[in-house]
Amino acid sequence: MSPRPERSTAYDVLLRCYPVAFRARFGEGMRDAFAHERLEASRRGVLALGWLWVRTLAHALAFGGLERASAATGRGGGWFRDMRHGARRLRRSPGFALAAVLTLTLGVGGTAAMLALVKGVVVDPLPYPEAERLVAVQHRAEGAGLPLMGVSLGTYVHYRERSRSFDEMTLYVTGSFAVLGPEGAVRVEGARVGPGFFELLLDGAPLMGRTIGADDQVPGAPLVVVISAEFWRTRFEGAADVVGRGISIGGRPAVIVGVVPTSFDAPSRDTQIWLPHQIDAERVILGGFGRGGIARLRAGVTPEQAQADLERLVPSLADRFNPVAFDLLVTGGGLTPLVRPLKETVVGSIEQTLWILMGTVVFVLAIAAANVANLFLVRAESQRREVTLRSALGAGRGAIVRHRLSEALVVGAVSGLLGVGVAWGALRWVVRRGPEQLPRLHEVGLEPSTIAVAIALALGCALAFGGLPLLRGTPGLRASLAQTRRGNTSSPRSLGLRNLLVAAQTALALVLLVGSGLMVRTYAALRDVDTGVDAASGLVFQVGLPWGLYAEDAAALQLQQRILERLRSVPGVTEVGAGVCVPLTDCRRETPIYPDGMPLVEGQTPPSVDVIGITSGFVEALGIEVLEGRGLEPGDPFREPPVALVSRRAAERMWPGRSAIGQRIHPDYPNETPFTVVGVVEDVRSHGLTAVPPETLYLSFLGTYGYTAPPQTLGYVVKTSVAPESLAPAIRTAVRELDPNVPLANMRTMRDVVHEAGAQTAFAMILLVGAGLVSLALGTVGIYGVLSYTVSRRTAEIGVRIAMGARAAEVSGMVVRQGTRVVLAGVAIGLVGAAFLTRVLDAVLYGVRPLDPATFGVVTLALIGVALLASYLPARRAALVDPVTALRDGRQ
Amino acid sequence: MDHSSGVDQHLPLKPVVFHILLALVERDRHGYGIMQEVRVRSHERVRLQTGPLYRHLRKLLDGGWVCEVEARPDDDDPRRGAYYGLTDLGRAVAAAEARRLRSLVATSEGLGLVSEKS
């Protein structure tokens, strides 16, 4: 037997949602069952635990409410009839019904949408078999300036042979492949995958044929390819006999052996073709960590244990690999394997933003709930006389409770259903417009469990707050009738409760508005960021060389040169260049370098900078400013020694106080021909708008071929004198004329590239501002509702005041003062809350501090202004009270 | 078969309810025991949670399909809460549901929709 889990006090509190009799009957068993559930969830992680609590809360609210309702009314039937009566009564007060339903719909819909989003992206396991045991295997070698990278063939083969932590370990490398067909070449995103890739990641069987088998992985085996269902439909019109057909990939013939479902998204959503990564275990090298490693933990092994296991294997890498490489990576670099749950690496940085948004939406729900509570309190007051009469005429307590709750039930049910609709619409919007950085977005949907939570929340809120007036009990007949006759304000206790609710709403709204204000300022700051490039007139795209056709380095170089020349002659193009990658598009190329004149002490690691090979024209086409010296020239590739540019920060670090021009740099290996610096250029925010611009070394492109093969794919940058997008067709034609087999991909304007880099912030900002505005609207309705109700209840008193000579301004001032007092109290609480809560935003803010006084000030003033406006209308009505009518009617 | 006509009016059962009844066929169980049994039997497909389980139990108890039982195993922990068992009515309803499903399966097999092995 497993050890007895600890019981939760918080759950005891939740149990109080259920009626006493129910608790007495089932309480022990429920506590025991929940304690086990909690223990199991906590073993699966914090997220599973959080999700369990959310569901448990919803269950307690909904079922507790329903059980209470059926306990109070005697069990069985009648509820439908009551709901019909409730609906009929609500139709007679459309204002109340509309306000309550709208408020609750917004709150519940927003919460459900956000829950679905958080669940789909963060909480749900990845769509792979036994996903919770899948881990990503990565490395870092900070001593070599490599903070995070994948696995190399060498480490992969070594671990796979010797590690005891994994059931299976595989690897992949993504790339784009030129697939030839009748209408020319297409560039297709693909992956070369190691043994076990499909066994680890494909849930179920392929749609057709088979996946890549062990025989296909043997070096020299005939090339096979697995294609996605989408590729099958678009390229082969879904032909039934596609398996077995030949296809040319990168100029090499391959045979299609299988089709996998479109939902298969490993290693990325874009992957369309999978090829075997044929590995000759005897000939692999230690370096080259650009491959992704995925493994399935053996049952009972934790990622930490697996990591420790791999760490033990690192020293034995020396037995089989080149000692120079071993010294550089392990002895000097401190190569360390990292084993992390695969999901962590997939969800990554977006998680925090999503939880912040989730918190935001819960705030909106709280505001909506406060509003609904307020509306029901007001309603109960106005029905007081009716209820008193009913009970005087012999209605039992059960009937009274039913009468009250039937309306709440109708409001809850309707808003639950509408809320699901709102959630569905909101999710559709998010899935269509959400930022690219939001992973797994296509997996997000409105599942039955989320729908159930939404409806339970709506019913729970409505029943809990609709039932709130019941707590005060039914007043005695005489007291009640006498009080009504006197026509004074409502009972002080309920007024106090309502004021409290309004103050709470104001406080929550203020927190949300401050949050959205800070996000707006962040977004504005991002728009003003100087990226270092001129985004206005640039067009970027990639050209990948089909491997088979340009296998010789010389042929590849020649083609790349000819593309540059041909593009330069396109009318409207003023500048053309190419580089290994384009800033802001996954352009991290950190590499250790050895500058002359910066002596390395024994044991000290060399500086690590982004090393990017570029051609002449690249810096100019991107509009990167040349600060000192010159840019690259067309003749530079043939110059000996080769030349390079450095970014300003790199120059300042390597040669402080000296000119960088003429200095020499050895990239990567100390014994290669050094590069001579001929220019210093402005820093570029290559890694993202908010990231510090990396220190960068731009090597004259063709010169770098001395130590690496020409890259398969080059990023091209074109500067135009006309609107950049208008040149797209001409550029495509120009490249096709050179060689129709060379595909061109990812064409975007530089403006779009910069825009996309800020998309995550824009997305968070839109949602936060939306939540802020909704909360402001709800808060305003709340203030207005309470004040106008107070005025209507105090009509007689106001009539007396006016009859006694009070002036209109004094009367309206009195009402506004009442509203303002409550709002100011709320603002004070809200400011304190905001000061604490905006700290969680710190990580997503940029260019503004969490305690930005301007934002706090403007938002506070705006909120107070809106509150004054909301109290003005009731105040004016009070001032217009006709004393004669007021006193004659007693109440209105 | 004497109360089959009375039993049939409860059919079809909600899948969850059927699962709860099935969990109690072999022996009496406490609440968490039912949750575990349902999970194992359904191959992890049905994961009952505390709140919904006890709401169903309340209805099943009130309907007389399930009853609290006094007898407890020797190694029992008093904090587990009550043990529950099937009443004759509950057993009859579960059996009727099983027969209903069996005849549906037989029909599907007769139509060649599924082979008997798969």
Side-chain angles (χ1 to χ4, degrees):
Chain A
M1 279 257 99
S2 55
R4 167 147 301 279
E6 216 177 298
R7 303 211 159 180
S8 151
T9 343
Y11 188 67
D12 292 349
V13 176
L14 277 188
L15 269 182
R16 296 197 161 266
C17 293
Y18 292 90
V20 182
F22 190 93
R23 260 183 287 156
R25 201 168 168 199
F26 300 117
E28 273 300 298
M30 291 179 82
R31 272 188 214 108
D32 177 68
F34 181 76
H36 281 98
E37 270 189 295
R38 195 174 65 131
L39 186 68
E40 282 162 23
S42 65
R43 288 205 186 110
R44 279 184 288 136
V46 173
L47 295 177
L49 192 62
W51 184 236
L52 174 72
W53 276 108
V54 170
R55 276 189 298 193
T56 306
L57 175 68
H59 288 148
L61 283 177
F63 296 150
L66 288 172
E67 289 290 341
R68 261 175 200 282
S70 48
T73 57
R75 59 185 55 100
W79 273 106
F80 246 136
R81 198 188 58 211
D82 284 328
M83 276 178 75
R84 273 216 312 279
H85 286 172
R88 207 174 299 149
R89 277 199 307 280
L90 283 175
R91 264 209 300 278
R92 284 203 297 270
S93 11
F96 163 76
L98 201 69
V101 166
L102 267 185
T103 306
L104 205 51
T105 300
L106 277 179
V108 165
T111 312
M114 213 52 226
L115 260 180
L117 196 63
V118 169
K119 187 167 176 298
V121 175
V122 183
V123 179
D124 277 354
L126 299 171
Y128 309 129
E130 301 184 69
E132 64 279 9
R133 273 163 60 199
L134 291 181
V135 290
V137 180
Q138 297 168 314
H139 288 87
R140 66 194 149 93
E142 265 140 12
L146 301 164
L148 191 64
M149 56 196 183
V151 295
S152 65
L153 290 180
T155 47
Y156 168 69
V157 168
H158 194 65
Y159 297 156
R160 194 156 189 261
E161 274 172 21
R162 306 206 186 172
S163 163
R164 280 159 304 178
S165 306
F166 304 133
D167 277 345
E168 175 63 288
M169 179 178 176
T170 189
L171 88 171
Y172 62 87
V173 53
T174 56
S176 39
F177 298 86
V179 174
L180 304 186
E183 66 272 33
V186 233
R187 217 174 71 123
V188 177
E189 293 302 316
R192 288 193 289 147
V193 303
F197 185 83
F198 289 97
E199 287 77 4
L200 282 183
L201 299 172
L202 179 62
D203 200 1
L207 276 186
M208 292 169 78
R210 60 178 180 88
T211 57
I212 295 169
D215 295 345
D216 306 318
Q217 300 282 5
V218 176
L223 188 62
V224 298
V225 58
V226 169
I227 61 174
S228 73
E230 191 189 327
F231 190 70
W232 172 48
R233 269 196 301 275
T234 52
R235 294 282 292 183
F236 296 95
E237 280 96 38
D241 61 344
V242 69
V243 171
R245 281 204 202 176
I247 180 175
S248 167
I249 295 175
R252 286 173 61 187
V255 175
I256 297 173
V257 292
V259 181
V260 289
T262 313
S263 59
F264 184 64
D265 64 351
S268 98
R269 181 92 182 125
D270 308 324
T271 313
Q272 304 265 32
I273 58 174
W274 292 262
L275 303 160
H277 195 322
Q278 297 173 344
I279 301 166
D280 183 349
E282 300 307 313
R283 302 183 57 186
V284 295
I285 59 162
L286 179 57
F289 283 81
R291 288 158 181 86
I294 295 178
R296 181 162 59 222
L297 294 175
R298 200 158 271 184
V301 176
T302 65
E304 293 74 26
Q305 288 164 339
Q307 180 165 329
D309 181 31
L310 297 191
E311 277 167 13
R312 270 197 302 277
L313 294 177
V314 167
S316 59
L317 288 166
D319 305 346
R320 65 198 295 173
F321 295 112
N322 180 338
V324 175
F326 184 83
D327 280 350
L328 186 73
L329 279 163
V330 184
T331 319
L335 183 78
T336 315
L338 296 172
V339 177
R340 292 198 294 156
L342 187 60
K343 192 157 86 181
E344 263 180 38
T345 62
V346 173
V347 176
S349 66
I350 190 77
E351 188 179 336
Q352 196 173 15
T353 309
L354 280 185
W355 284 112
I356 290 171
L357 291 176
M358 182 78 226
T360 307
V361 176
V362 169
F363 267 46
V364 172
L365 181 67
I367 293 175
N371 232 2
V372 170
N374 225 330
L375 286 165
F376 272 108
L377 278 174
V378 170
R379 177 121 179 115
E381 289 290 335
S382 66
Q383 288 179 339
R384 184 180 276 248
R385 202 151 73 145
E386 182 191 342
V387 169
T388 314
L389 273 177
R390 273 170 170 252
S391 75
L393 292 174
R397 180 165 162 75
I400 302 282
V401 169
R402 240 151 115 147
H403 172 81
R404 281 271 158 81
L405 287 188
S406 61
E407 286 180 5
L409 211 55
V410 173
V411 168
V414 173
S415 349
L417 292 177
L418 290 179
V420 170
V422 168
W424 183 78
L427 276 182
R428 269 181 56 116
W429 181 85
V430 168
V431 170
R432 244 197 351 256
R433 305 288 302 275
E436 248 177 38
Q437 293 95 326
L438 205 60
R440 310 176 67 196
L441 201 53
H442 58 279
E443 292 167 31
V444 170
L446 211 51
E447 293 167 28
S449 65
T450 321
I451 294 178
V453 168
I455 291 181
L457 270 180
L459 280 177
C461 279
L463 286 177
F465 297 116
L468 209 56
L470 288 174
L471 293 181
R472 295 209 313 272
T474 319
L477 175 64
R478 186 193 298 203
S480 178
L481 288 179
Q483 196 184 35
T484 337
R485 172 84 51 74
R486 225 170 41 238
N488 69 357
T489 56
S490 46
S491 70
R493 197 171 151 200
S494 97
L495 191 63
L497 190 54
R498 290 215 306 270
N499 282 340
L500 197 70
L501 287 170
V502 169
Q505 275 181 320
T506 315
L508 291 171
L510 185 77
V511 174
L512 285 186
L513 287 170
V514 167
S516 43
L518 291 173
M519 282 312 284
V520 170
R521 295 209 53 178
T522 297
Y523 185 68
L526 280 188
R527 293 190 66 111
D528 290 343
V529 159
D530 182 7
T531 55
V533 300
D534 170 22
S537 56
L539 190 69
V540 301
F541 54 90
Q542 289 171 309
V543 173
L545 301 181
W547 347 301
L549 296 183
Y550 293 91
E552 297 289 318
D553 287 2
L557 286 178
Q558 202 188 4
L559 179 75
Q560 287 163 351
Q561 280 294 350
R562 281 172 61 207
I563 292 175
L564 286 173
E565 280 158 26
R566 181 74 186 76
L567 288 176
R568 210 163 273 139
S569 67
V570 171
V573 170
T574 56
E575 199 71 66
V576 180
V580 171
C581 60
V582 175
L584 289 169
T585 61
D586 190 19
C587 197
R588 223 174 250 277
R589 296 289 188 279
E590 277 163 86
T591 316
I593 56 168
Y594 301 83
D596 272 7
M598 183 176 168
L600 275 186
V601 185
E602 183 101 19
Q604 190 193 336
T605 55
S608 178
V609 302
D610 266 4
V611 176
I612 298 172
I614 61 168
T615 69
S616 62
F618 184 81
V619 161
E620 292 76 10
L622 277 171
I624 303 172
E625 199 183 338
V626 177
L627 300 173
E628 195 186 344
R630 63 175 177 85
L632 295 185
E633 291 163 0
D636 282 339
F638 313 106
R639 223 175 280 281
E640 199 60 47
V643 300
L645 308 177
V646 292
S647 73
R648 175 165 55 168
R649 292 187 57 236
E652 281 166 4
R653 177 152 75 122
M654 290 187 280
W655 305 284
R658 282 181 285 163
S659 168
I661 307 298
Q663 302 285 1
R664 299 195 307 165
I665 292 181
H666 306 263
D668 208 20
Y669 289 113
N671 54 353
E672 287 287 331
T673 328
F675 284 73
T676 304
V677 175
V678 294
V680 178
V681 295
E682 187 52 271
D683 292 321
V684 174
R685 288 186 185 260
S686 182
H687 294 177
L689 297 182
T690 58
V692 177
E695 297 166 318
T696 309
L697 173 66
Y698 300 95
L699 301 182
S700 169
F701 183 44
L702 303 170
T704 66
Y705 284 178
Y707 78 108
T708 55
Q712 278 268 307
T713 305
L714 276 191
Y716 286 78
V717 185
V718 172
K719 190 180 174 71
T720 61
S721 56
V722 295
E725 52 275 15
S726 67
L727 285 187
I731 287 171
R732 280 179 200 283
T733 316
V735 175
R736 185 166 304 159
E737 277 169 11
L738 278 177
D739 183 345
N741 295 325
V742 170
L744 184 150
N746 287 344
M747 189 181 277
R748 287 181 297 175
T749 62
M750 201 58 206
R751 196 194 299 275
D752 283 346
V753 170
V754 173
H755 179 78
E756 235 160 71
Q760 190 180 325
T761 307
F763 174 72
M765 179 193 72
I766 290 171
L767 291 190
L768 254 176
V769 169
L773 291 180
V774 168
S775 70
L776 187 63
L778 291 179
T780 313
V781 170
I783 296 164
Y784 172 80
V786 166
L787 286 183
S788 64
Y789 182 70
T790 316
V791 168
S792 75
R793 299 289 301 182
R794 287 171 74 180
T795 304
E797 178 210 319
I798 292 169
V800 173
R801 284 174 189 262
I802 292 176
M804 302 295 280
R807 270 186 306 222
E810 287 168 352
V811 171
S812 46
M814 178 183 76
V815 174
V816 170
R817 261 199 309 283
Q818 187 205 338
T820 317
R821 257 205 314 275
V822 177
V823 168
L824 284 181
V827 164
I829 300 166
L831 282 176
V832 175
F836 275 101
L837 287 171
T838 48
R839 281 187 208 167
V840 305
L841 286 176
D842 204 10
V844 293
L845 293 184
Y846 176 77
V848 59
R849 281 171 306 134
L851 290 179
D852 179 48
T855 310
F856 272 73
V858 168
V859 164
T860 307
L861 287 181
L863 188 64
I864 292 177
V866 170
L868 284 180
L869 215 63
S871 22
Y872 172 72
L873 288 175
R876 206 178 58 143
R877 212 166 60 217
L880 294 179
V881 162
D882 174 10
V884 179
T885 329
L887 290 172
R888 191 179 55 219
D889 292 357
R891 61 187 287 276
Q892 274 176 331
Chain B
M1 281 299 192
D2 50 345
H3 42 204
S4 66
S5 62
V7 164
D8 282 347
Q9 72 185 12
H10 300 297
L11 304 186
L13 295 183
K14 279 188 195 169
V16 181
V17 171
F18 192 39
H19 271 293
I20 294 177
L21 295 179
L22 285 184
L24 294 174
V25 168
E26 277 180 348
R27 60 188 184 90
D28 304 336
R29 293 175 198 279
H30 52 78
Y32 178 62
I34 298 177
M35 284 160 67
Q36 273 180 313
E37 177 69 10
V38 167
R39 206 162 93 187
V40 171
R41 262 188 204 286
S42 67
H43 303 287
E44 306 270 324
R45 287 206 188 88
V46 181
R47 288 186 173 224
L48 266 173
Q49 294 204 310
T50 307
L53 169 72
Y54 276 90
R55 175 139 171 95
H56 283 301
L57 271 181
R58 202 270 293 153
K59 289 183 184 166
L60 291 174
L61 284 162
D62 288 352
W65 297 8
V66 165
C67 58
E68 271 186 42
V69 288
E70 295 297 323
R72 284 162 163 264
D74 300 333
D75 62 344
D76 184 58
D77 181 328
R79 296 200 301 171
R80 282 209 184 289
Y83 275 66
Y84 302 97
L86 281 186
T87 61
D88 290 346
L89 176 60
R91 197 171 285 273
V93 172
E97 174 74 356
R99 279 193 294 275
R100 186 185 71 84
L101 292 173
R102 185 168 61 193
S103 87
L104 281 178
V105 171
T107 311
S108 318
E109 282 170 357
L111 291 170
L113 186 63
V114 283
S115 76
E116 279 169 47
K117 275 187 186 154
S118 66

